[in-house]
Amino acid sequence: MWDEFEDALRTCEPGCYVKVQGQISKYNGRFQITLQKLRLAAESEVDPADFLAHTQYDIGEMWQELRSTVDAFSNIHLQRLVNAFLDDPVIGPAFMSAPAAKVLHHAWIGGLLEHVVFLLRMCKRVAPQYPEVDPDLLCTAAILHDVGKTRELEWKSSFAYSAEGQLIGHISIAMGMLRDKLALISQVEPFPERLRILVEHLILSHHGSLEFGSPKLPMFAEALVFHAIDDLEAKMQNLRTQLANHVAGGNQPGSVTDWIRSMDRQLVDSKEYLKG
């Protein structure tokens, strides 16, 4: 843009959507667009789904699967607690659309819900193997462990951390949200104190180690199992993303990737490798 760009830039800031008018041409063999007009786009003109990565699964169907799981809880206290979050007019819609991370696993619209639904499926498969594990408590961990990400992250025009997310983090945010909901539902019927402590521990310990941000290490069966399946589900999705990026970058399927910093290793697609 060569003319009148100063006025246009004054109406915009980083992360905003703009509407432009210009002419496409080629320069040194590459397409370029020379802008004549640029203005801030109205919200009614923008569908963020056109610009942000989006879950490949149907959000409505995943939401229904989540709600059906909670409806099947036998522990009425945990059911009331989880529904207090899902029925919240602010938290519920944010839970449906939020990414689960800025860059790593499930970094797309609907990523948090997708991550939770996949975890719930794993909880239902794993819990019967261990009689020590309460399935409702394990599923509650799956649903609430990352609820703080609905405030830690922003996803209106790009994926970024909010000021609250940078200063406090999703585990501490989730603890505050949990205390608020417990205070609310306890006005109708007291929430069991020992059950509250277990739910809080599940949130505090889900990263599994102090160096990864958990204030506490998993100390009981549900916490130990949940950390394991949460870590596995996140790593598997990160693996899928990294292998897809490897091929999209022009590399041969089945070849070894460059060093993946987020996983502290190189990766290879075993199925594609066997085809070679």
Side-chain angles (χ1 to χ4, degrees):
M1 189 171 190
W2 300 104
D3 302 312
E4 301 178 6
F5 59 87
E6 291 183 357
D7 290 338
L9 292 178
R10 273 194 285 268
T11 68
C12 307
E13 58 184 25
C16 72
Y17 289 102
V18 296
K19 191 166 186 178
V20 302
Q21 178 179 314
Q23 183 174 3
I24 295 175
S25 59
K26 268 192 172 182
Y27 178 74
N28 286 341
R30 300 179 64 182
F31 285 108
Q32 66 174 16
I33 179 169
T34 302
L35 304 183
Q36 280 85 46
K37 296 181 180 179
L38 181 151
R39 66 168 174 80
L40 185 67
E43 287 194 15
S44 60
E45 296 177 296
V46 177
D47 181 356
D50 292 336
F51 301 93
L52 298 176
H54 197 280
T55 177
Q56 61 180 305
Y57 304 104
D58 185 275
I59 287 180
E61 292 178 0
M62 290 193 294
W63 185 251
Q64 183 56 48
E65 183 174 342
L66 168 58
R67 299 307 300 253
S68 296
T69 299
V70 179
D71 289 343
F73 277 13
S74 59
N75 188 313
I76 190 65
H77 300 292
L78 292 176
Q79 187 180 67
R80 289 174 58 234
L81 174 61
V82 173
N83 280 333
F85 282 91
L86 302 183
D87 292 336
D88 186 287
V90 175
I91 298 173
F95 202 107
M96 296 175 72
S97 61
K102 178 184 174 182
V103 176
L104 299 178
H105 71 93
H106 303 86
W108 47 75
I109 297 298
L112 176 60
L113 178 59
E114 179 184 329
H115 178 50
V116 167
V117 167
F118 274 59
L119 283 172
L120 288 173
R121 294 174 185 173
M122 295 173 73
C123 289
K124 294 173 186 177
R125 288 173 170 85
V126 170
Q129 302 297 318
Y130 303 103
E132 303 91 341
V133 170
D134 181 317
D136 289 353
L137 193 55
L138 188 63
C139 287
T140 297
I143 297 168
L144 297 185
H145 76 290
D146 274 349
V147 70
K149 290 186 176 181
T150 60
R151 285 166 38 185
E152 180 186 47
L153 296 167
E154 295 177 342
W155 57 95
K156 185 175 181 180
S157 59
S158 61
F159 299 144
Y161 288 102
S162 65
E164 183 182 22
Q166 291 175 317
L167 292 169
I168 300 176
H170 73 278
I171 291 179
S172 297
I173 293 171
M175 291 299 294
M177 296 170 74
L178 177 64
R179 294 286 177 89
D180 289 344
K181 290 305 179 188
L182 287 170
L184 181 65
I185 65 176
S186 293
Q187 294 175 4
V188 178
E189 181 181 349
F191 192 87
E193 181 67 7
R194 293 193 177 192
L195 186 58
R196 172 191 69 79
I197 292 172
L198 294 182
V199 173
E200 289 192 359
H201 181 83
L202 285 164
I203 293 173
L204 290 172
S205 66
H206 79 267
H207 281 184
S209 60
L210 303 179
E211 60 266 35
F212 291 138
S214 277
K216 298 296 293 183
L217 301 180
M219 292 174 61
F220 53 85
E222 292 85 358
L224 191 66
V225 170
F226 180 69
H227 162 64
I229 62 177
D230 180 44
D231 185 60
L232 174 62
E233 215 283 309
K235 279 188 168 65
M236 283 298 297
Q237 187 53 63
N238 192 13
L239 177 142
R240 293 188 193 105
T241 298
Q242 298 298 340
L243 292 178
N245 291 342
H246 179 64
V247 174
N251 297 288
Q252 195 70 22
S255 62
V256 178
T257 69
D258 292 332
W259 190 261
I260 306 299
R261 183 167 174 262
S262 62
M263 298 186 74
D264 199 27
R265 72 199 73 185
Q266 294 170 284
L267 298 171
V268 63
D269 186 330
S270 56
K271 288 185 177 180
E272 292 295 333
Y273 175 76
L274 288 172
K275 294 177 183 178

